[in-house]
Amino acid sequence: TASCDPESGCVYEDVDCEDDDKCYEYECDDDIGCLSYLIDCDDGNECTDDSCDPEVGCVNDERDCTGSSKCFEYDCSPEHGCTKTDVHCDDYDVCTDDCCNHDTGCEYTDVDCDDYNECTTEECVSKAGCVYTQVICNDNDACTDDSCSPSEGCTTTPVDCDDDNKCTDDTCDSEYGCSNIFIDCNDYDYCTIDRCFPCSGCSNQPVDCDDYDECTYDHCSRNEGCVYTNVVCDDYNMCTNDVCLSDSGCEYKDVGPCFCDDDNACTEDTCDPTVGCVNINKVCDDSDPCTEDHCDRNHGCIFEPTEC
């Protein structure tokens, strides 16, 4: 501020911009004058509630993250703020039902293993849980069916050894029980398929020796069974390739003009059905006395001029 003293003249005193409110920062600008800025009280910690008290300045009070449920563990992370995680109530005992009560916390009750079945005995094993052991209903008579009724317990009824199968002889022995011995339907003929049908008994049906291969002759021997003899595909023509294809049989394909090519330009190459390839030398004669006639195996006939 500026003032004038009669004795000393002009007097300039610094302006005091400070105020009692500690929530602001103060300064003085030569052009504008006093300025105040609100203090940033954010301490970057999500676990505090940040505020400003005019008398003391910034206040960073610890945030209360506690909750009312005993099924959660409460904590605070400076980065994320209040957190809660499920309380782990598993007592690793499969013979208890584990749950969490929000008012009292973890609760454990015994597992009820009763299956209301007279055919089992039950117990609970801490590692395996409910274990049901089947009641053994055995009267030591193999000719009775020993069974168990869930409501009554063990019962026994005579065994019916009839398997309704005409392919077996059915009997029962008190020590060994039912015996259902298969009938032998073998007629010792390799050209029949010997089978037994439960409804009708033995069946001896002819063997089908067809191998669906046109390159074999198919027949059946009583002592050996199916016999397959290879078809011979020969048309006695030296100028064909004779092959046999399983789906169509013999095929005779012309060998073609390249088959008899002896790579010699001085021969005429042909194929004779009786003897096969024939390579006859070319006659290089142009009937001109003024040329010398000869043959080159790479280029064929050459006629070179001479002096006449």
Side-chain angles (χ1 to χ4, degrees):
T1 58
S3 63
C4 188
D5 184 278
E7 295 181 359
S8 57
C10 289
V11 177
Y12 301 96
E13 297 178 352
D14 289 337
V15 173
D16 182 9
C17 291
E18 292 292 331
D19 190 81
D20 292 336
D21 191 336
K22 295 185 180 296
C23 290
Y24 291 89
E25 290 181 348
Y26 304 92
E27 67 176 31
C28 189
D29 183 275
D30 291 339
D31 296 323
I32 301 174
C34 288
L35 298 174
S36 62
Y37 303 97
L38 188 64
I39 293 174
D40 181 7
C41 291
D42 186 356
D43 60 358
N45 186 345
E46 293 296 327
C47 291
T48 60
D49 287 323
D50 307 325
S51 62
C52 191
D53 187 309
E55 294 183 1
V56 297
C58 286
V59 178
N60 306 103
D61 293 325
E62 185 176 350
R63 182 173 293 176
D64 181 11
C65 290
T66 59
S68 61
S69 175
K70 292 192 176 184
C71 291
F72 298 106
E73 291 181 351
Y74 301 93
D75 199 357
C76 191
S77 164
E79 294 180 356
H80 304 101
C82 290
T83 60
K84 65 177 182 179
T85 55
D86 293 333
V87 170
H88 185 63
C89 288
D90 190 352
D91 61 357
Y92 302 101
D93 184 351
V94 293
C95 290
T96 61
D97 285 326
D98 310 330
C99 65
C100 191
N101 185 304
H102 287 285
D103 295 325
T104 59
C106 292
E107 294 181 354
Y108 306 96
T109 55
D110 291 335
V111 170
D112 182 7
C113 289
D114 189 358
D115 61 355
Y116 303 100
N117 187 344
E118 294 296 325
C119 297
T120 60
T121 58
E122 56 271 341
E123 63 175 325
C124 192
V125 180
S126 59
K127 290 186 177 180
C130 290
V131 176
Y132 303 96
T133 304
Q134 194 73 26
V135 173
I136 299 174
C137 297
N138 187 3
D139 63 357
N140 296 315
D141 184 350
C143 290
T144 60
D145 276 331
D146 307 324
S147 59
C148 193
S149 166
S151 59
E152 300 176 10
C154 290
T155 59
T156 57
T157 55
V159 168
D160 180 8
C161 290
D162 185 359
D163 60 359
D164 293 320
N165 187 345
K166 292 188 180 296
C167 296
T168 60
D169 287 326
D170 309 325
T171 59
C172 187
D173 180 88
S174 60
E175 183 177 355
Y176 301 106
C178 287
S179 175
N180 309 101
I181 300 174
F182 281 99
I183 296 170
D184 184 6
C185 291
N186 189 358
D187 62 356
Y188 302 100
D189 183 347
Y190 284 96
C191 291
T192 61
I193 298 174
D194 306 328
R195 294 184 296 177
C196 193
F197 296 95
C199 295
S200 56
C202 287
S203 169
N204 309 100
Q205 295 179 337
V207 170
D208 180 8
C209 289
D210 188 355
D211 61 356
Y212 302 100
D213 186 344
E214 295 297 326
C215 295
T216 61
Y217 295 113
D218 311 330
H219 66 281
C220 190
S221 165
R222 179 181 178 83
N223 296 323
E224 299 177 23
C226 290
V227 178
Y228 304 98
T229 306
N230 290 331
V231 171
V232 178
C233 294
D234 188 354
D235 62 353
Y236 303 101
N237 183 344
M238 299 293 288
C239 295
T240 60
N241 280 329
D242 306 334
V243 296
C244 191
L245 302 178
S246 295
D247 57 347
S248 58
C250 290
E251 285 193 5
Y252 308 100
K253 296 183 179 179
D254 194 336
V255 296
C258 294
F259 181 74
C260 291
D261 187 353
D262 60 358
D263 292 325
N264 187 345
C266 293
T267 61
E268 295 286 350
D269 306 325
T270 59
C271 188
D272 183 278
T274 302
V275 298
C277 289
V278 177
N279 309 102
I280 301 173
N281 290 329
K282 291 181 179 179
V283 177
C284 295
D285 185 359
D286 61 356
S287 300
D288 185 348
C290 294
T291 60
E292 184 177 322
D293 307 334
H294 64 277
C295 190
D296 181 88
R297 69 178 293 115
N298 294 321
H299 302 96
C301 289
I302 298 174
F303 309 100
E304 296 180 354
T306 60
E307 292 183 3
C308 292

